[in-house]
Amino acid sequence: SSDLNYALAVETGSRPHFPPVDAIRRGFKVTEAEAWGIAIAISRRGTRPYPYLRPTADKLYPTLIPTIKALMK
């Protein structure tokens, strides 16, 4: 889905890059000046990771096959 293009960057963080200021302004509902500040910070530091998919997958994957087998019975 095009809505999930950002998922990997959220999960793993990103290197410094200059994101679109207008997307930040609209997405975070901030002023253009605030959006520029955020974009400049990202261009210098990147973004930190917020793992959500991998920890859950690591926790639940071992139970996946037994759960599928139980549901097929």
Side-chain angles (χ1 to χ4, degrees), residues 3-70:
D3 293 340
L4 298 179
N5 288 337
Y6 63 88
L8 182 60
V10 173
E11 180 82 17
T12 62
S14 69
R15 294 180 183 182
H17 64 286
F18 202 89
V21 174
D22 195 50
I24 293 171
R25 184 185 58 74
R26 286 183 285 120
F28 290 106
K29 295 180 175 65
V30 295
T31 67
E32 188 164 345
E34 292 168 321
W36 271 100
I38 294 168
I40 290 169
I42 293 171
S43 75
R44 292 181 179 154
R45 297 189 296 262
T47 60
R48 17 183 287 206
Y50 289 92
Y52 59 96
L53 180 61
R54 189 63 191 212
T56 303
D58 289 345
K59 179 180 174 185
L60 297 178
Y61 187 75
T63 65
L64 182 62
I65 292 174
T67 300
I68 292 172
K69 285 180 179 179

